[in-house]
Each structure stands twice: as structure tokens, then as C-alpha cells.
């Protein structure tokens, strides 16, 4: 049994026996030893190495590392299944890039036990100076910025807090959450930065359920007038109306609930029309429009300006 597996088994046993857990806590206190987890111990070791290195080189930095700890029914072997990798690793890289506001590439450096722990790091490239010993610092700092934002967001999801300030990250987080649910996995994210600091967060079943609730939509209806020229007709009852002559002029797909009503109007391509329509948006809990549709209600007497973008 590996050290990580033994520690996990020990923690599980202590959780099942409160009296034993209390005795263990008293013993650790008497010995002056904290019951720290592996990530905390590693962070302390890294901070010690950095402090020693800076005695000789004040600008010394550590190599950054990302650890993704997967826990679930099939993770005890400490192996990464191909289907998990395909579904999880790319969404993580995408989330970090969106959070950083710039593309961040990550590369796998190893797999270890303790459930399944994926070790990765940012991809760094030589600077334009051509010196192969000089690494591109902005790429590393972008990864740190992205992981800082991502761990804060995951903490908010686990606590079921308002996450609207991170709305731009929600689609990426939702893709990862769906993949974790599909394989019955929980995710722990630990980030060790170049200055010896550690950030970590989790996305468990609680956080995934919160993501699912946030994704639920409600309808918002508004009556508007669309005026323009018909550029497309379909027998299914769809009319495309372009509101101007410029190439980038807005165009709207107006659907007739009764296709026969459209046929009785006998419209032609190029005809100018004024339609009253129901503009329906499906909004999620953060106000993000997940779908829009325009449904014909009747003719409009005159053209009015549109209060919205398509």
C-alpha cells in the first residue's frame, strides 16, 4: 500500500470513529505535530526550498505545478483512464485560458496514486532573445492568474454563492462539471506558484448540482416590431428579414406557428415587411441568454426601431 493510500485509509477510519479521531488529535498536539495533508506538506517544502535558494539568488523562482486529484469509485488504482483524460483535461486548460484572458497551454508531467493525481505544468517557450536558458515569464504568470481565478470560482460553487462576476467562465465550468458527473468523479485542484504559494479548491457533487441549477432557464418575452426586406423563405414557416442594405445589417429569423398563414400572405423575396413579433429569450440564473426566437404575431402598421441586438 502506498503512503498516499495509507493516509487516505487512516483518515477514513478516523472519520468513522470520533473517539479515535479525538485521541489522535490529542497525540498530535502533544507531539507538536499538525495533522496536515499532503498538499500542505508539499507547499511547506517548496516554500523552504525557495527561501534557501533566495539566500543566494534573490530573484529565484520555483517551477509552477498544477495537480488535479480525481476521486471516485474507480480511482483507487491511481491510473488515468483515457476517456477521463479526453473529457477532463482539455476543459481544464480551456477554463484556465478563459480565466487568464489569454491562451495558456498545459502539459502532463506525470500520474501518481492517492486516488488518481494528475501532475501538469504550464508550457513555457524560449524568449525572442533566442537564449534557451531564458523562459517566457508572462506565460507562467498568465497560468497563475488563471488558476487563482479558477480556484476562487470553484470555492464559490462549492459554497453555493453568487458567481455572476465569473459569468464568462460558466460555460467552461459547466462542460467540466458534466464530464465529472458522467464518470462519477470529484475534482481537487491544487496550484503551486513560482513564489512558493499554494491555491486549491474542489468541485464535488454539491458544486456540480449547483452548476446544474444555475443552468436552468426561464423565459422572458417581449413584443417588438421587425421591419426590413425578405431575404429567405421556407415552406416550414420561416422568414428571414434583413433590416438594412449593408452587409452587416441585422437579420432575423421569424417563425410562423402556422405555416399556412405565411402561404396565404404570398410574400416574395425582396418584399418589404413590417412584422409584430414575440421576442423570447431563455435566460439562465446568471442572466445569460441560452436561446432566442422570434415568433410572428401579426402585421405592424409602421416601422419602429429595434430595442435589441439579434
Amino acid at each position: 500500500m502506498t503512503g498516499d493510500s495509507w493516509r487516505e485509509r487512516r483518515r477514513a477510519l478516523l472519520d468513522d470513529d470520533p473517539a479515535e479521531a479525538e485521541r489522535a488529535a490529542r497525540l498530535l498536539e502533544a507531539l507538536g505535530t499538525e495533522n496536515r495533508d499532503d498538499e500542505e506538506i508539499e507547499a511547506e517544502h517548496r516554500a523552504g526550498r525557495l527561501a534557501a535558494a533566495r539566500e543566494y539568488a534573490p530573484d529565484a523562482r520555483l517551477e509552477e505545478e498544477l495537480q488535479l486529484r480525481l476521486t471516485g469509485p474507480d480511482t483507487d488504482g491511481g491510473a488515468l483512464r483515457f476517456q477521463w483524460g479526453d473529457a477532463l483535461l482539455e476543459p481544464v486548460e480551456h477554463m484556465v485560458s478563459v480565466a487568464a484572458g489569454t491562451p495558456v497551454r498545459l502539459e502532463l508531467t506525470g500520474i501518481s496514486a492517492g486516488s488518481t493525481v494528475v501532475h501538469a505544468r504550464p508550457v513555457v517557450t524560449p524568449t525572442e532573445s533566442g537564449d534557451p536558458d531564458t523562459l517566457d515569464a508572462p506565460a507562467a504568470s498568465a497560468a497563475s492568474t488563471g488558476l487563482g481565478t479558477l480556484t476562487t470560482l470553484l470555492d464559490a460553487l462549492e459554497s453555493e454563492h453568487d458567481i455572476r462576476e465569473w459569468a464568462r467562465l460558466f460555460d467552461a465550468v459547466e462542460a467540466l462539471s458534466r464530464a465529472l458527473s458522467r464518470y462519477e468523479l470529484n475534482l481537487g485542484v491544487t496550484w503551486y506558484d513560482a513564489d512558493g504559494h499554494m491555491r486549491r479548491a474542489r468541485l464535488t457533487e454539491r458544486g456540480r448540482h449547483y452548476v446544474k441549477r444555475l443552468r436552468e432557464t426561464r423565459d422572458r418575452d417581449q413584443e417588438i416590431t421587425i421591419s426590413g426586406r425578405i431575404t429567405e423563405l421556407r415552406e416550414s414557416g420561416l422568414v428571414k428579414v434583413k433590416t438594412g442594405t449593408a452587409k452587416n445589417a441585422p437579420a432575423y429569423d421569424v417563425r410562423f406557428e402556422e405555416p399556412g398563414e405565411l402561404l396565404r400572405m404570398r410574400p416574395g423575396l425582396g418584399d418589404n415587411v413590417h412584422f409584430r413579433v414575440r421576442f423570447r429569450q431563455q435566460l439562465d440564473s446568471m442572466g445569460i441568454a441560452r436561446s432566442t426566437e422570434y415568433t410572428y404575431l401579426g402585421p405592424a402598421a409602421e416601422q419602429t426601431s429595434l430595442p435589441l441586438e439579434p
Side-chain angles (χ1 to χ4, degrees):
M1 180 180 293
T2 67
D4 286 335
S5 299
W6 183 86
R7 277 188 287 269
E8 289 194 354
R9 181 172 175 79
R10 182 194 66 185
R11 291 182 189 126
L13 291 173
L14 291 177
D15 288 342
D16 292 337
D17 188 345
E20 184 61 31
E22 184 178 351
R23 283 194 294 272
R26 287 200 300 268
L27 176 60
L28 290 170
E29 184 177 359
L31 294 173
T33 304
E34 298 178 4
N35 187 19
R36 297 168 298 167
D37 58 31
D38 300 336
E39 288 85 359
E40 291 171 323
I41 294 171
E42 174 63 18
E44 183 175 310
H45 288 169
R46 286 171 57 89
R49 292 199 303 271
L50 181 62
R54 285 181 172 174
E55 290 290 330
Y56 302 95
D59 295 330
R61 291 164 63 86
L62 296 171
E63 184 178 80
E64 295 177 317
E65 181 180 353
L66 172 63
Q67 289 185 7
L68 305 175
R69 183 181 295 271
L70 301 174
T71 54
D74 301 314
T75 61
D76 290 342
L80 180 68
R81 297 187 179 182
F82 278 27
Q83 57 185 349
W84 299 350
D86 288 343
L88 299 173
L89 299 184
E90 192 281 332
V92 168
E93 184 180 69
H94 178 58
M95 280 193 300
V96 175
S97 297
V98 175
T102 188
V104 174
R105 291 184 299 154
L106 301 171
E107 59 186 7
L108 188 69
T109 59
I111 306 290
S112 63
S115 293
T116 296
V117 183
V118 179
H119 301 265
R121 66 187 176 196
V123 177
V124 292
T125 57
T127 60
E128 294 180 359
S129 66
D131 182 354
D133 295 326
T134 305
L135 296 180
D136 186 8
S141 63
S144 194
T145 298
L147 265 300
T149 300
L150 178 58
T151 51
T152 302
L153 169 58
L154 294 183
D155 280 340
L157 288 171
E158 285 293 303
S159 303
E160 300 184 8
H161 290 166
D162 188 345
I163 66 165
R164 280 176 290 185
E165 66 178 286
W166 301 290
R168 62 193 174 90
L169 284 170
F170 186 71
D171 285 347
V173 170
E174 187 198 11
L176 177 64
S177 179
R178 286 199 307 267
L180 291 170
S181 296
R182 185 184 316 140
Y183 300 116
E184 299 182 73
L185 297 170
N186 292 324
L187 174 68
V189 177
T190 304
W191 171 248
Y192 300 104
D193 71 15
D195 292 315
H197 302 129
M198 177 184 71
R199 295 290 303 268
R200 60 181 176 176
R202 299 185 304 160
L203 186 58
T204 67
E205 186 176 10
R206 178 181 179 179
R208 298 197 306 272
H209 284 168
Y210 186 49
V211 170
K212 188 175 181 180
R213 293 204 307 272
L214 291 174
R215 184 65 173 82
E216 294 173 353
T217 60
R218 67 185 188 280
D219 291 341
R220 184 179 73 177
D221 291 351
Q222 181 182 359
E223 184 174 320
I224 64 173
T225 297
I226 292 179
S227 297
R229 179 171 52 87
I230 294 177
T231 59
E232 185 178 339
L233 287 168
R234 298 183 190 173
E235 291 184 0
S236 61
L238 185 82
V239 179
K240 184 180 288 290
V241 180
K242 191 170 184 180
T243 59
T245 58
K247 278 188 176 182
N248 60 349
Y252 300 88
D253 291 332
V254 179
R255 186 168 298 280
F256 283 66
E257 292 182 330
E258 295 293 337
E261 184 176 7
L262 175 61
L263 295 175
R264 287 191 295 272
M265 292 172 60
R266 296 183 178 180
L269 293 177
D271 287 356
N272 288 312
V273 294
H274 306 290
F275 289 160
R276 283 190 307 109
V277 303
R278 181 185 67 229
F279 170 51
R280 171 167 291 173
Q281 288 181 305
Q282 286 193 326
L283 303 174
D284 65 22
S285 296
M286 290 180 295
I288 299 174
R290 294 298 176 179
S291 67
T292 59
E293 64 179 19
Y294 303 87
T295 304
Y296 177 79
L297 298 177
E302 59 183 17
Q303 180 176 354
T304 59
S305 59
L306 295 174
L308 54 98
E309 292 295 330

